[in-house]
Amino acid sequence: MMLKWMGYLRIGNTLAAVAAALSFSVISVNIGSAQEAAPPVPDLRAQASSKGPSDQLSVPAYRLGPLDKIRIKVFSWRASQDQIFEWTAINKNEDYTVGPSGDVSIPLIGEFRAADRTTAELAKEVGLALQDRIGMVETPDVAIEVSQFRPFYITGDVQKAGEYPYRPDLTVIQAVAIAGGPMRDPRSSNIRLEREIIAGEGELAVLLKERTQLLVRRARLESELNNSKDIVLPEELAIRRSDDDVRLFLQQEEQIFKARLDGHSTQMQALEQLRAFFETELSSTDAQVQAQQTEVAAVERELAQVKTLAEKKLTTETRLFALQRNRAQVEGERLRMQSALARVKQDLSKTEISIIELANKRTAEVTADLSTNAARLSAVEQQIITARKLLAESEVMGSPPFLGLSQQKYEIAYKVIRKSGADTVELSANDTMVVQPGDTVRVDIIRAANISVGRVSPSAGQ
């Protein structure tokens, strides 16, 4: 059944070819008669010869080169199986990259020359190579297309020179647009210069104000570190005490200074009072211990005397036992008082450590704030220097001798540097010239004429 259907298909193809041939003949006759009746058509190629050299450039068939990526599909008809066979060993790879040497590695046939060949030429040669390698009767059908072109390059007076992906039918003007357009002359706009000056003055004023604030803060931190009662301003700020900025920042820092000083003083006073309390308690407890020791000594003497009398049978055993009990009680009280004395000494020691830690903590915090403030002050001073230089440059560029430069006329010249075989040629180009993959487009801005007339006086024409 399948063979019968294939026979019908071949007959249909033959009839279609005959019909196409007849149609072509009719169309040829109609075109011939139309050419006899129509007026002569201008020779566009002759007109193109009168244009610039870049207009005469034709776009040849694209030839592969290094960094091009190609996609290869190979199929063959197997009559014995009545089906189309796909060469998965080759087709499974999405892309094949042409190496720096101009070769491309293809399964089953290895390294294959691709540079300076069109996709059609390469497809034909790949098919013949596969036929020879496998020993096939018929050449397999090979289709090759460019999946990604090698990049092009743009340099010269453009905003962003560099390497860019290529796309078909890319013109010179499109390539320049991809690179951000031609380089803009920074002196081309008086309005922009005036805006730069205004912005620069505003930025400089903000930086100067921040520097004043940082200087006042440094004075406050140094006063805290030195345990001063008030903020001591350096001479640079003392002579500007009446300035609005200095007065405002000083008022803010004084509030912070007073709050931090009061907080520290309150904590320190509380610890000092606690230490005084423990010192008083220590003195009292020590006195009690001394008194208890005196009492223990008295009891010991009395007990010794009673023991002597008891041995001589001059006193009762009850009195002896009472004195012994009394001595034990007095000794226990002495030991309790000594323990209390030790606890008071320990609490006093902890309080003194807390006083030292509080002082050290304040010193460490102030030192860290001073370090941060110094780093920021250094950065701001450097920014002030830069802002002043930029402002001075903008003011110079905005002066009358330079403002006239904005009236100058400029021309843009394009060059295309293209590799042709083993040689590299430089071609003059215009906006519409088609760029090829691997080309380098150079853009040059050339000053055509100076028609500077200077800045017009505001009173002119009045």
Side-chain angles (χ1 to χ4, degrees), residues 373-430:
N373 190 81
R376 180 55 188 165
L377 181 60
S378 177
V380 168
E381 288 178 343
Q382 186 61 42
Q383 291 176 4
I384 289 174
I385 295 174
T386 304
R388 281 175 172 164
K389 289 181 179 180
L390 293 175
L391 182 60
E393 181 180 352
S394 297
E395 290 175 346
V396 170
M397 300 302 293
S399 60
F402 286 91
L403 289 176
L405 293 175
S406 63
Q407 304 296 329
Q408 294 176 350
K409 289 185 177 180
Y410 295 89
E411 292 181 352
I412 301 178
Y414 302 111
K415 296 285 186 180
V416 173
I417 302 172
R418 179 174 296 167
K419 187 174 181 180
S420 178
D423 299 328
T424 301
V425 296
E426 183 177 289
L427 307 172
S428 297
N430 58 12

Side-chain angles (χ1 to χ4, degrees), residues 135-147:
M136 301 175 62
V137 178
E138 295 182 356
T139 304
D141 293 325
V142 180
I144 298 179
E145 64 179 1
V146 180
S147 59

Side-chain angles (χ1 to χ4, degrees), residues 51-245:
K51 298 183 180 180
S54 61
D55 293 327
Q56 301 178 26
L57 296 175
S58 60
V59 181
Y62 180 69
R63 295 190 175 274
L64 300 173
L67 301 182
D68 277 334
K69 291 185 178 182
I70 58 177
R71 187 174 292 116
I72 303 176
K73 299 296 182 182
V74 181
F75 297 91
S76 59
W77 170 257
R78 292 187 175 180
S80 61
Q81 301 178 3
D82 196 25
Q83 65 178 5
I84 296 176
F85 174 75
E86 179 180 0
W87 295 59
T88 56
I90 298 177
N91 296 358
K92 67 179 181 180
N93 290 343
E94 290 293 332
D95 295 313
Y96 294 88
T97 303
V98 180
S101 62
D103 296 337
V104 61
S105 180
I106 303 175
L108 302 179
I109 58 177
E111 295 289 331
F112 208 82
R113 188 66 181 173
D116 299 327
R117 294 181 176 178
T118 65
T119 54
E121 294 172 350
L122 182 60
K124 180 179 179 181
E125 294 182 12
V126 168
L128 293 174
L130 287 173
Q131 180 185 14
D132 181 66
R133 176 71 174 80
I134 305 300
M136 301 175 62
V137 178
E138 295 182 356
T139 304
D141 293 325
V142 180
I144 298 179
E145 64 179 1
V146 180
S147 59
Q148 180 176 325
F149 294 94
R150 56 187 181 272
F152 75 95
Y153 306 87
I154 187 163
T155 184
D157 298 326
V158 292
Q159 296 290 331
K160 296 179 181 179
E163 172 187 308
Y164 292 94
Y166 179 81
R167 56 186 177 84
D169 299 327
L170 181 71
T171 62
V172 169
I173 193 64
Q174 291 172 340
V176 174
I178 292 174
M183 186 73 70
R184 297 177 180 85
D185 188 347
R187 302 167 298 186
S188 62
S189 175
N190 296 347
I191 296 178
R192 193 172 66 83
L193 280 174
E194 293 175 358
R195 289 179 178 176
E196 286 184 358
I197 293 174
I198 294 172
E201 290 175 346
E203 181 181 359
L204 183 59
V206 171
L207 290 173
L208 290 173
K209 182 174 293 188
E210 184 177 1
R211 179 178 180 273
T212 301
Q213 183 180 18
L214 292 172
L215 289 175
V216 176
R217 183 173 301 164
R218 184 177 67 180
R220 187 258 297 174
L221 292 171
E222 290 176 347
S223 299
E224 286 188 22
L225 194 61
N226 297 329
N227 295 321
S228 301
K229 298 299 181 182
D230 297 304
I231 298 178
V232 181
L233 292 179
E235 183 179 357
E236 179 184 356
L237 295 177
I239 60 178
R240 297 171 49 202
R241 185 182 286 269
S242 59
D243 290 355
D244 292 338
D245 291 340

